[in-house]
Amino acid sequence: MVVCGDDALAHRLAAELRDVYGERVTLVVPSAREPHRPRIPPPARALGRAGALLGRMSAAMVRPSSPGSEAPGDDAEPPEETVRILEAAQPDDAALREAGIAGAGALALVYDDDELNIHAALRARRLNPRLRLVIRLYNRKLGQHLEELLDQAAAVAALDLEEGGDAEGVDASTTVLSDADTVAPALAGAAVAGTSKVIEADGLLLRAAERTPVPPGRPGAPGVCTLALLSASANDPADAPGSAAGDEGPVLLPDDAATAAAVGCGTVVLETVSYTGRPVRRRWLRGRGAPLASLFSRRLRWSLAAVVGAVLALAVASSLTMGEDPVHAVYLSLLDLFAINEPAINDPAPRKVLQLLSGLTGLLLLPVLVAAAFEGLGTFRSASALRRPPRGLSGHVVLLGLGKVGTRVLARLHEMGIPVVCIEGDPEARGVALARRLRVPTVLGDVTQEGVLEAAMIDRAATLLALTSEDTTNLEAALYARSVSPRLRVTLRLFDDRFATAVYRTLRAAHPGALTRSRSVTYLAAPAFAGAMMGRQILGAIPVERRVLLIARVEARGHAALEGRTVAEVLRPGRLRVLAVDTSAPDDPEPDAAGAAATPPPAEERTTARLVHELGDDYVLRPQDRVLLVATRQGLGDLHVRNPPAAAARPSGVRQG
């Protein structure tokens, strides 16, 4: 496996391939001495009051954790003795050849520059047409076109290989992924419901919901299955009784016996429910639309309604006193209103009075029409301007940072109908245009300055989602927000794992009644990239504290651990379990007289996957069944390990970085 990149995702991906799948990895980076990961500035210079508070509490609260109790963070680099590190300024032909691209099984291009990844992918496809490509691109539409182009090139090369009899076992697929798209659902779920995660797969809508401990003797709410038993530190307060995992970390994928024995322990349960939070008002979700309520103020609308009511009243009075037809009476009232009717000099007194009242109403209508014109023009003129948070807003999500990740999270929260207020210091940031188009309230300013969080109404918010690329900025915003609203749910994007552990425990101790979560973008995205390099279809990741469970869809065919085994036999506590099975594919048909097998039914005729409790633990997996799995990294790696353990050793002649 060859991994090319210039940031923390490349290092995390190399470690994923080595630790989980036992692959030999060549890591191509601009500099082995500069891993290009975010650095934590000295607290006294960068953290301000955040560093002071953290420093006072860390010494008392941070305890050394046992090995393996915490998942590694973005700064963890793969050991040099098991990963070949190659320095190259750019992934040109010479660098790819030196990395062994001709004999590689897969190549991951995870540079932060889309153009650089595209150029390298075209070179790699030319140098090795059999290569499986995994490309990191932020532009979705460009990624789709690139996939088609490279797949066509691979198909042409496959025809040449078939003529030479050397095409067996070749998988030259191209997969374009975005780390922002991969982690956006997890971050949005963390902002809305703690560690909740919604995944749609094969027609099923599944959510991993975190549940508080249930008192002894009281049955818990039903769910599809239990994904994890949380540690004592996960439920806040820190002294949660009866935790099966203690403070060493969560117990992932427990069996039924372990789940039944975990009395008073917080759990993460998979359930088939959808989001039921309070949605934002529909007029905020119309995008570019301009409804009447947004064009004119409430006072102006009431003024227009009063004028219309006065005209109708005058028309009714004219019809009753003068015996006019109602339609004709309305017509005369409008003529009097706009002062274009003949003076009622020789008419009866009631007619004169009504004409004077109509003229007076016309004088009142003139400023109302002028105000309506100015308000309408002002609304259209400010349609491209950023909205300010409305006065009555509450229970919303404050999203800090509108970079690549923040933009995708904003789009996901908007799709879910959740009210959001954004904070961004750069007016030219990537997500500002999206916030303007979606008419999402946005505050421009430095979050470390006084008054910025207050302008986003942090005191009325339900969640703070800090997603900037600076750990210190996220931490300082979280600490100040907690000082304003102690029970605020906080989700931080933190890169350094040791720093994240200290922050997590300190905030938990300072605010035991509030939820605190830390998320690493590269740690959540790396499993999807590694799975694509191995030819796996990973649908999503469920964060459980600082660890991750993977949801993957695989075909039972070719997997000895799945094909011909019952659902109960596949279960491996702590590593792997089956969630659902798509049984819509028919039994393998026998070839016809021409030697061709019957085609499977079209996709529109297939049914949705069936959950395990619907099939039963005795169901035997057929080769054509598509299985929806939840697994740890190790469990997914054990499902299909290409190389024996000895293959993971460092090859001879490897130069250390």
Side-chain angles (χ1 to χ4, degrees), residues 578-626:
V578 177
L579 295 178
V581 180
D582 184 359
T583 60
S584 59
D587 294 334
D588 292 339
E590 296 186 3
D592 54 16
T599 58
E604 58 270 13
E605 296 182 4
R606 297 180 181 178
T607 58
T608 58
R610 300 173 63 186
L611 297 171
V612 169
H613 67 78
E614 299 174 347
L615 293 172
D617 293 338
D618 297 332
Y619 177 80
V620 179
L621 297 175
R622 304 175 301 168
Q624 66 272 20
D625 286 341
R626 292 195 305 172

Side-chain angles (χ1 to χ4, degrees), residues 26-40:
T26 297
L27 178 61
V28 182
V29 292
S31 175
R33 296 182 179 180
E34 296 292 336
H36 297 272
R37 62 179 184 270
R39 300 288 187 178
I40 305 301

Side-chain angles (χ1 to χ4, degrees), residues 6 112 124 250 330 354 496 513 594 610 618:
D6 57 357
D112 197 34
V330 173
L354 290 176
D496 188 279
R610 300 173 63 186
D618 297 332

Side-chain angles (χ1 to χ4, degrees), residues 492-512:
L492 301 173
R493 175 188 178 186
L494 298 178
F495 291 84
D496 188 279
D497 184 69
R498 289 170 294 182
F499 184 68
T501 302
V503 169
Y504 177 78
R505 291 176 175 172
T506 303
L507 289 177
R508 185 192 66 194
H511 303 278

Side-chain angles (χ1 to χ4, degrees), residues 23 38 59 157 224 240 344 395 399 459 590 621 644:
E23 292 289 333
V224 176
L399 176 59
D459 56 330
E590 296 186 3
L621 297 175

Side-chain angles (χ1 to χ4, degrees), residues 16 45 64 75 160 266 316 415 460 507 530 534 594 605 613 623:
E16 187 83 14
R45 183 178 60 206
D75 67 332
D160 298 336
V316 172
E415 291 173 0
R460 298 182 181 179
L507 289 177
M534 298 299 298
E605 296 182 4
H613 67 78

Side-chain angles (χ1 to χ4, degrees), residues 40 53 84 133 164 170 231 312 325 422 449 480 483 498 634:
I40 305 301
L53 177 58
R84 178 189 177 195
L133 291 176
V170 175
S231 62
L312 293 178
D325 181 72
C422 301
Q449 301 296 325
Y480 182 74
S483 66
R498 289 170 294 182
Q634 292 75 18

